[in-house]
């Protein structure tokens, strides 16, 4: 398993990881890649199937070297054969960038594209640890729920994807218009977009005794970025 | 070009479009597919490349039969050859579903998976119309910006993807726990997630004369779903 270097610096970790368009927005710094992954809740995961590419949203978690995935696509990957190339992309949409001409319209965003070979985790101890990381990635609460049974563990598919080949792309700030348009009559600016948690709602089948656990209650009104995380300082 | 039937009903439009996991959440109804597409701002678009699958976020627009894409991946698709299979997935994350056991944790979401052959639009009139649809999909404002020049139009790559092979998946509501866990000491419930526009911010290079255009100002505090759309009733 290749390990992501502590600081990949300004160069991409592999040829296929190089950002092709908008290179000035490319980031290959480990800390920035991990921060974008930590802020996200779902990845869009792509596989090549005999019927063409397939992209599905999936939950994920991570440790220092590996992204862990579980969900519907795990099944599809296993159907298509284990040990398969996959691409996991995490995007945060931070705002609309409205230029004086639609050609220069854009969006402010942060995204990570991770490519690599997905492998099914078969070892039960590693699988349990991966499920803990996936569960706590959303909000740390593994310690306050009923642990998975042996049968649940057996029914759960978990894939690991090395974090080695990741690149990030970040756009911030104002539109960049043509100089000759700047004095024109058109408006230009940005419109921020924020994704935020609301107030937790107890399940209708919940017995009255159980209050909202502290880490869940603490989500209220936080943005995705602000939520506490195992890896977040 | 296959046209999406007015009402595809309870059956998928093609074998590869059938939802494999969580079939009770599958939707193949045209109106529901289009509503989910209209609420979104970016799609995650996947292609199969010689170096494995690649998934990138892209802006999009639509008319009744076609999804239009432009952005970085258009270049990659053209590099890999025109007339290529692609998958465009649009996901709205509506909430966390927190069960009594992590095995039953889930998310509330709405997603559309569209598969088909992408084709580059070469006709200038059609390309201009597609760019209008992509521009107005975010917020209708094509009529109040500087129109694209001939040179800008030439530099812009636009792909069309038939809307024929689309499926939607929707999860709402409470977690579904094991009956024997319901009387246990664990909390269960949902945490809503909302994505919302903030207040438009003028570009720092904007001359003082231009006020925020009405359709842009109207976005303030709206959720993505609530924004006005060409296709939205």
């Amino acid at each position: 398993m290749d390990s992501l270097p502590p600081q990949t610096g300004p160069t991409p970790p592999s040829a296929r990881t190089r950002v092709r368009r908008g290179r000035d927005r490319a980031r290959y710094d480990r800390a920035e890649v991990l921060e974008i992954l930590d802020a996200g809740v779902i990845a869009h995961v792509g596989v090549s199937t005999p019927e063409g590419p397939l992209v599905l949203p999936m939950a994920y978690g991570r440790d220092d070297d590996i992204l862990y995935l579980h969900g519907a696509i795990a099944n599809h990957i296993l159907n298509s054969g284990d040990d398969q190339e996959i691409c996991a992309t995490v995007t945060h949409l931070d705002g609309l960038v409205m230029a004086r001409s639609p050609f220069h319209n854009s969006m402010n965003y942060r995204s990570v594209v991770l490519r690599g070979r997905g492998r099914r985790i078969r070892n039960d101890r590693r699988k349990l640890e991966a499920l803990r990381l996936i569960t706590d990635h959303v909000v740390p609460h593994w310690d306050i729920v009923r642990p998975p049974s042996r049968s649940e563990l057996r029914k759960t598919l978990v894939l690991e994807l090395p974090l080695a080949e990741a690149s990030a792309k970040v756009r911030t700030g104002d539109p960049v218009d043509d100089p000759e348009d700047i004095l024109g009559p058109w408006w230009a600016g940005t419109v921020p977009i924020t994704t935020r948690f609301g107030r937790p709602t107890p399940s209708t089948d919940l017995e009255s005794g159980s209050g909202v656990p502290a880490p869940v209650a603490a989500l209220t009104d936080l943005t995705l970025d602000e939520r506490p995380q195992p890896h977040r300082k």
Side-chain angles (χ1 to χ4, degrees), chain A:
Chain A
M1 176 83 52
D2 292 337
S3 185
L4 191 66
Q7 173 77 30
T8 51
T11 53
S14 70
R16 69 173 175 177
T17 313
R18 184 172 56 82
V19 171
R20 287 156 194 252
R21 298 262 309 164
R23 290 180 201 180
D24 52 325
R25 299 178 192 164
R27 306 277 190 284
Y28 304 104
D29 175 78
R30 172 194 173 87
E32 194 147 7
V33 165
L34 296 183
E35 192 176 320
I36 292 167
L37 290 179
D38 285 349
V41 171
I42 56 166
H44 279 84
V45 179
V47 288
S48 299
T49 80
E51 297 162 309
L54 178 64
V55 178
L56 295 176
M58 295 179 68
Y60 66 93
R62 73 163 182 94
D63 59 23
D64 284 347
D65 300 310
I66 296 172
L67 192 83
Y68 299 98
L69 298 165
H70 81 337
I73 210 172
N75 239 344
H76 203 289
I77 286 177
L78 291 170
N79 287 341
S80 319
D82 196 359
D83 196 28
Q84 184 174 333
E85 287 293 330
I86 68 183
C87 179
T89 298
V90 173
T91 306
H92 308 285
L93 184 60
D94 292 326
L96 308 179
V97 178
M98 309 192 68
R100 292 156 177 93
S101 62
F103 184 74
H104 291 293
N105 274 357
S106 187
M107 298 192 196
N108 283 332
Y109 64 95
R110 293 159 289 153
S111 69
V112 162
V113 175
L114 173 63
R115 307 178 82 173
R117 291 193 91 76
R119 284 196 182 83
R120 180 175 176 176
I121 299 182
R122 294 172 189 279
N123 175 287
D124 271 0
R125 192 190 48 78
R126 289 201 62 223
K127 197 199 265 189
L128 198 65
E129 174 61 10
L131 290 173
R132 185 183 70 78
L133 290 165
I134 294 170
T135 300
D136 282 349
H137 175 83
V138 175
V139 50
H141 69 295
W142 178 265
D143 292 337
I144 54 170
V145 290
R146 171 177 65 70
S149 66
R150 282 200 165 276
S151 141
E152 286 173 346
L153 199 59
R154 206 169 46 236
K155 281 188 265 186
T156 305
L157 304 171
V158 183
L159 289 173
E160 58 176 338
L161 182 62
L163 280 173
E165 292 185 77
S167 63
K169 226 171 148 183
V170 175
R171 192 202 187 283
T172 58
D174 283 342
V176 179
D177 274 297
D178 289 340
E180 60 268 31
D181 286 339
I182 287 178
L183 293 177
W186 309 284
W187 189 81
T190 53
V191 184
I193 295 176
T194 310
T195 301
R196 206 175 278 281
F197 295 102
R199 187 176 300 277
T201 307
S203 189
T204 51
D205 64 6
L206 192 73
E207 293 297 307
S208 53
S210 301
V212 183
V216 180
L219 293 177
T220 310
D221 295 335
L222 294 188
T223 64
L224 291 198
D225 294 67
E226 291 164 344
R227 77 190 196 279
Q229 285 244 327
H231 296 287
R232 194 81 52 83
K233 271 86 199 158

